[in-house]
């Protein structure tokens, strides 16, 4: 049904507004140069605000606000309609439909996310290699992207990631009993959505580190990696296996509020759109 798509779009917009500043810190934290610019997550956050003002945290928000809002609509639209096809609402079916939705949206997600990453990294590489910005804005960056870079890693991340995402949310909401008549329904939805986001990110984070590095590779005309395997080998050799946790703190900090907003907003929009008269008391 179209309402699944609409609710997903609204939830996605809420998630982008809440989560993008955290995402900027996460993306910059996972990058590695000969002389690292940041000592950790909080040092990265303070440096961005000090050097670029608070608006630096919102760099590249145009692309995800346009793209991820639509993509969230696709994810929840595909997942919701797939659940109706399967019939019974079980955690296993939630995982299957979530994985299907993640696979479907990867085709659109990859170029949008690449544009976001390039815009977020622009303030760092231009100081090292160039005095001029390569991209004017998110749209200009998208126009420069004529091929899908990092598609494989994005697909490997999205399919199982969204499967775990919807499975966790289903298990928690069913366990907590999120009924429309429950006066604590909204806090329960927020908690379930936030924990679903955290669980999903912890499971797929090593793949995301490699994906982010591959997507940021080549900025300023410098290519460090020849393939996914080469990126893994170089990263482990230079930084050890702990490289796969680089930026995890900011990701977890972002995951809870962002996904709490996405799931709660989506669920509430669907509930009221479907004519649920019994809602949470004010």
């Amino acid at each position: 049904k179209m309402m699944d798509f609409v609710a997903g779009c609204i939830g996605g917009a809420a998630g982008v507004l809440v989560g993008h500043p955290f995402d900027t810190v996460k993306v910059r934290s996972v990058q590695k140069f000969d002389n690292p610019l940041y000592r950790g997550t909080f040092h990265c956050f303070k440096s961005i605000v000090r050097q670029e003002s608070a608006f630096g945290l919102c760099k590249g928000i145009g692309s995800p606000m346009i793209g991820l809002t639509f993509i969230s609509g696709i994810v929840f639209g595909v997942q919701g309609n797939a659940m109706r096809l399967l019939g019974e609402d079980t955690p296993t079916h939630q995982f299957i439909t979530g994985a299907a939705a993640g696979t479907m949206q990867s085709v659109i997600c990859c170029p949008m996310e690449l544009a976001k990453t390039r815009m977020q990294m622009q303030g760092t590489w231009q100081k090292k290699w160039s005095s001029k910005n390569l991209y004017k804005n998110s749209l200009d960056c998208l126009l420069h992207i004529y091929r899908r870079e990092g598609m494989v890693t994005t697909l490997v991340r999205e399919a199982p990631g969204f499967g775990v995402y919807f499975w966790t949310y289903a298990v928690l909401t069913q366990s907590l009993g999120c009924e429309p008549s429950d006066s604590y329904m909204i806090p329960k939805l927020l908690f379930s959505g936030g924990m679903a986001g955290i669980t999903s990110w912890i499971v797929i984070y090593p793949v995301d580190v490699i994906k982010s590095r591959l997507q940021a590779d080549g900025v300023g005309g410098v290519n460090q990696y020849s393939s996914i395997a080469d990126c893994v080998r170089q990263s482990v050799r230079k930084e050890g296996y702990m490289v796969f946790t680089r930026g995890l703190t900011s990701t977890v900090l972002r995951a809870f509020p962002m996904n709490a907003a996405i799931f709660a907003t989506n669920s509430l929009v669907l509930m009221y759109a479907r004519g649920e008269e019994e809602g949470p008391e004010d």
Side-chain angles (χ1 to χ4, degrees):
K1 294 181 180 180
M2 181 59 69
M3 200 58 224
D4 290 304
F5 174 78
V6 174
C9 286
I10 296 173
V16 170
L17 288 173
V18 172
H20 190 78
F22 293 99
D23 188 59
T24 298
V25 174
K26 190 266 294 187
V27 168
R28 293 203 184 182
S29 295
V30 300
Q31 310 309 323
K32 176 68 176 180
F33 300 101
D34 293 333
N35 297 304
L37 293 175
Y38 312 114
R39 294 190 297 271
T41 298
F42 295 108
H43 177 245
C44 179
F45 175 82
K46 290 188 294 183
S47 297
I48 293 172
V49 174
R50 183 173 64 251
Q51 297 169 11
E52 305 170 48
S53 82
F55 290 106
L57 295 170
C58 296
K59 275 189 175 180
I61 196 172
S63 178
M65 183 57 72
I66 296 171
L68 294 185
T69 296
F70 179 65
I71 289 167
S72 179
I74 291 177
V75 169
F76 282 92
V78 170
Q79 196 273 340
N81 283 283
M83 278 299 300
R84 275 188 283 277
L85 290 175
L86 291 178
E88 189 179 2
D89 185 359
T90 66
T92 300
H93 283 174
Q94 290 282 351
F95 179 89
I96 294 171
T97 56
T103 301
M104 184 72 71
Q105 63 92 46
S106 291
V107 176
I108 301 173
C109 176
C110 190
M112 290 291 184
E113 191 158 321
L114 177 55
K116 172 183 68 67
T117 300
R118 291 286 169 86
M119 287 299 297
Q120 289 171 323
M121 290 302 297
Q122 187 162 250
T124 61
W125 61 257
Q126 74 176 73
K127 296 173 185 175
K128 301 175 74 66
W129 297 303
S130 172
S131 59
K132 183 180 178 181
N133 281 345
L134 181 61
Y135 310 117
K136 297 176 182 178
N137 50 48
S138 295
L139 180 59
D140 182 51
C141 184
L142 276 173
L143 293 175
H144 280 78
I145 298 170
Y146 60 90
R147 69 182 186 278
R148 290 170 186 155
E149 305 175 46
M151 185 65 195
V152 175
T153 49
T154 300
L155 181 61
V156 171
R157 183 190 72 165
E158 300 300 330
F162 275 104
V164 172
Y165 187 56
F166 282 98
W167 179 87
T168 304
Y169 185 72
V171 170
L172 288 174
T173 52
Q174 288 177 17
S175 299
L176 294 173
C178 299
E179 300 298 330
S181 58
D182 188 348
S183 60
Y184 295 103
M185 184 192 69
I186 291 180
K188 288 179 179 180
L189 291 176
L190 290 169
F191 175 77
S192 299
M195 292 306 298
I198 288 176
T199 303
S200 176
W201 270 110
I202 289 176
V203 170
I204 64 170
Y205 195 76
V207 177
D208 187 69
V209 171
I210 298 303
K211 176 201 67 66
S212 293
R213 291 188 172 206
L214 286 173
Q215 290 186 332
D217 194 35
V219 292
V222 178
N223 288 286
Q224 292 180 273
Y225 313 115
S226 60
S227 65
I228 295 173
D230 181 53
C231 181
V232 173
R233 282 194 299 268
Q234 286 196 47
S235 298
V236 172
R237 184 174 67 250
K238 294 177 182 178
E239 303 166 64
Y241 287 101
M242 290 302 291
V243 67
F244 296 117
T245 64
R246 185 182 293 275
L248 181 59
T249 302
S250 59
T251 299
V252 171
L253 287 174
R254 176 196 66 154
F256 190 92
M258 180 176 184
N259 291 287
I262 290 174
F263 263 119
T265 302
N266 177 80
S267 297
L268 290 171
V269 169
L270 282 177
M271 183 185 74
Y272 288 113
R274 289 169 179 168
E276 291 282 358
E277 297 298 331
E278 292 184 89
E281 294 180 6
D282 188 6

